[in-house]
Amino acid sequence: MSKVLIIGCGGVANVAIRKCCQCDDLFTDICIASRTKSKCDALKADLEGKTKTRITTAQVNADDASQVAALIREYQPDLVMNIALPYQDLAIMDACLECGVNYLDTANYEPEDLSDPAWRTNYEKRCKEEGFSAYFDYSYQWAYKEKFEKAGLTALLGTGFDPGVTQAYCAYAQKHLFDQIDTIDILDCNGGDHGYPFATNFNPEVNLREVSAPGSYWEDGHWVEIPAMSIKREYNFDQVGQKDMYLLHHEEIESLAKNIPGVKRIRFFMTFGQSYLTHMKCLENVGMLSTEPVEFEGHKIVPIQFLKALLPDPATLGPRTVGKTNIGCIFTGTKDGQEKKAYIYNVCDHQECYKEVGSQAISYTTGVPAMVGAMMLLTGKWNKPGVYTVEEFDPDPYMDALNQWGLPWQIDENPALVD
Ligand code: NDP
């Protein structure tokens, strides 16, 4: 029996909520709260009669910690699942601390307003000291570690697929397959086709900020940064086929570099088709990816937010997306003195996801691990006060739950390596 407050009701939250409702012995009570309450009410109406979970809804602006705290006091949840946007992470963590509730999310903090002078000063210092220039990093949330420890509360960061499941794969490889992991290549392949010339699979603003930024990887104890999309490889993915993939900066590299002892190199690759890249480059060249407000006919508009309004809502891609995703990690290292390699991955079919929960596979592969992470906290399987990423916990119950709840994984002991 548990009571969970879920903040956000977009593409990923829709899947997480539907999956929680499939497991209604554990998720007995859910409050769906978001900026637009009508979306929460519509989901509640759709789920009623299909689950024993008691669902309530609420309106909340999660940028405001005091609003979230008021809602927590009223609802008294055991856990807050933040499936809104990375911009709200700190406000929701503050509210959880204030009210004494555990926390989880699916993406690490980044500010909505990149021109905020206080944030900029920190950001520029970090770029110089650390050597990567992504707008997001873990420092803001890791700074809450002591507060959560003292309060006896757990914050589980980034329990989506990547970050999230990819780190569980790393912890599993570390625990069961290797004595020493030398290299990790995280490969995120979406072989799906939605038929639009250009659309993103999750929140367009967050997605386009991420993929248009310089790439970086971890090697021999430091970051190496490269121009956006300047390292390209081809890979033949199981059940998807040959795809071009590009090296990106990605948040789990930062925590894995700290938590996988002696790892020499960690890279992240994502597949993109030529049409996606051409559209993105063009939009970037004309300034449509900018986060700086511009004056237009007496209004201030932020170009990337205006673009979001024009692009298809990722939550609507489900019925039209066909094909599969294949996401996983390739490891090299040693076991019992022998060199070894292994590839742990999941293949997910867009249409199968749509049949089950009405969403495409990107929302599915993120929403299921959010629910699985919540299960770990609510059942006490993962329970240590502080702020942690997925690889810092025992991977076994999480990996078992992935198999049970729709994201089965497999291990290839002889994969092709990425050069
Ligand atoms: P959507 O844009 O579809 O949904 C975001 C939801 O948050 C919407 O319901 C939105 O409300 C709500 N929201 C936004 N701002 C606020 C606010 N201030 N107060 C309350 N609610 C708010 O995003 P996605 O579902 O695609 O993504 C959700 C999260 O998952 C993001 O953080 C994303 O980065 C992360 N993600 C993680 C992945 C992983 O593998 N780890 C992969 C993909 C996504 P409204 O309806 O009013 O806009």
Side-chain angles (χ1 to χ4, degrees):
M1 261 185 61
S2 62
K3 246 179 147 180
V4 177
L5 170 62
I6 301 181
I7 302 183
C9 193
V12 176
N14 256 268
V15 175
I17 292 162
R18 287 176 190 278
K19 293 300 283 193
C20 291
C21 289
Q22 287 179 12
C23 181
D24 46 18
D25 288 338
L26 177 61
F27 294 90
T28 47
D29 295 88
I30 287 176
C31 175
I32 313 170
S34 192
R35 184 168 54 187
T36 312
K37 184 168 176 286
S38 56
K39 292 189 191 169
C40 311
D41 292 335
L43 181 56
K44 172 182 151 92
D46 191 47
L47 282 163
E48 254 156 13
K50 297 177 187 152
T51 176
K52 285 187 289 169
T53 305
R54 286 179 291 271
I55 302 172
T56 55
T57 61
Q59 199 279 331
V60 72
N61 175 5
D63 291 321
D64 178 354
S66 67
Q67 282 194 31
V68 181
L71 182 58
I72 295 175
R73 271 192 221 98
E74 188 191 323
Y75 189 65
Q76 298 283 317
D78 305 301
L79 169 70
V80 174
M81 296 173 69
N82 166 15
I83 321 184
L85 296 176
Y87 313 145
Q88 283 87 46
D89 288 4
L90 302 186
I92 299 177
M93 287 176 88
D94 282 332
C96 285
L97 273 173
E98 191 184 321
C99 302
V101 189
N102 292 326
Y103 167 91
L104 73 71
D105 66 31
T106 62
N108 74 2
Y109 173 69
E110 71 181 273
E112 184 161 20
D113 177 8
L114 299 173
S115 61
D116 173 33
W119 175 81
R120 275 255 143 217
T121 309
N122 269 342
Y123 168 72
E124 275 155 22
K125 185 164 166 272
R126 190 263 285 159
C127 288
K128 252 195 223 128
E129 283 173 6
E130 298 283 335
F132 69 94
S133 61
Y135 294 132
F136 48 86
D137 72 75
Y138 276 115
S139 64
Y140 296 88
Q141 291 179 279
W142 283 341
Y144 282 70
K145 195 171 174 68
E146 223 182 289
K147 288 187 203 162
F148 271 76
E149 275 167 9
K150 281 195 181 136
L153 298 172
T154 306
L156 172 60
L157 307 184
T159 177
F161 205 107
D162 43 342
V165 173
T166 50
Q167 287 138 290
Y169 289 172
C170 293
Y172 183 91
Q174 181 77 75
K175 182 172 175 184
H176 298 289
L177 306 180
F178 289 85
D179 296 326
Q180 169 66 49
I181 295 176
D182 292 331
T183 68
I184 304 171
D185 278 333
I186 303 167
L187 271 46
D188 180 331
C189 164
N190 181 6
D193 182 4
H194 43 60
Y196 285 118
F198 186 71
T200 64
N201 298 301
F202 69 95
N203 183 280
E205 188 179 332
V206 177
N207 186 212
L208 288 166
R209 275 190 187 195
E210 175 180 282
V211 302
S212 60
S216 57
Y217 58 97
W218 178 260
E219 191 167 50
D220 297 329
H222 64 273
W223 289 95
V224 180
E225 187 157 270
I226 54 152
M229 305 290 171
S230 60
I231 294 186
K232 176 186 168 188
R233 298 285 186 271
E234 277 179 30
Y235 200 81
N236 192 4
F237 289 92
D238 181 27
Q239 299 181 56
V240 174
Q242 193 85 6
K243 289 277 170 196
D244 292 342
M245 59 184 192
Y246 297 82
L247 188 145
L248 298 185
H249 176 82
H250 224 247
E251 65 201 63
E252 65 265 50
I253 301 177
E254 198 188 351
S255 68
L256 289 168
K258 285 198 196 312
N259 294 324
I260 302 294
V263 65
K264 295 188 180 74
R265 191 188 68 202
I266 312 171
R267 300 183 297 185
F268 181 98
F269 291 91
M270 190 176 273
T271 62
F272 295 101
Q274 197 47 53
S275 167
Y276 183 98
L277 294 178
T278 309
H279 277 81
M280 190 178 79
K281 196 74 214 159
C282 172
L283 291 165
E284 189 179 16
N285 286 343
V286 298
M288 283 301 289
L289 303 190
S290 171
T291 55
E292 297 288 320
V294 293
E295 196 75 28
F296 178 73
E297 295 187 347
H299 299 279
K300 277 212 181 306
I301 57 170
V302 177
I304 197 166
Q305 287 175 358
F306 180 65
L307 176 64
K308 176 179 184 259
L310 297 177
L311 289 174
D313 179 351
T316 64
L317 297 178
R320 44 188 299 149
T321 308
V322 293
K324 293 181 182 180
T325 61
N326 177 328
I327 317 176
C329 303
I330 301 178
F331 303 95
T332 66
T334 48
K335 177 78 177 169
D336 301 328
Q338 303 287 314
E339 286 195 0
K340 177 172 178 159
K341 54 185 180 170
Y343 186 9
I344 311 180
Y345 63 92
N346 161 265
V347 176
C348 197
D349 185 291
H350 285 284
Q351 279 300 304
E352 291 298 318
C353 298
Y354 183 66
K355 270 185 230 146
E356 186 194 327
V357 294
S359 292
Q360 34 83 354
I362 303 300
S363 301
Y364 190 91
T365 54
T366 312
V368 173
M371 179 276 248
V372 165
M375 274 179 154
M376 296 299 109
L377 296 185
L378 293 168
T379 55
K381 293 196 172 87
W382 285 7
N383 185 6
K384 48 181 176 182
V387 175
Y388 298 101
T389 41
V390 169
E391 74 274 21
E392 294 180 271
F393 291 97
D394 178 8
D396 293 349
Y398 191 93
M399 296 287 277
D400 287 346
L402 291 173
N403 278 334
Q404 192 186 346
W405 292 98
L407 293 177
W409 43 275
Q410 47 197 303
I411 303 179
D412 176 354
E413 300 266 7
N414 190 25
L417 298 180
V418 181
D419 63 20

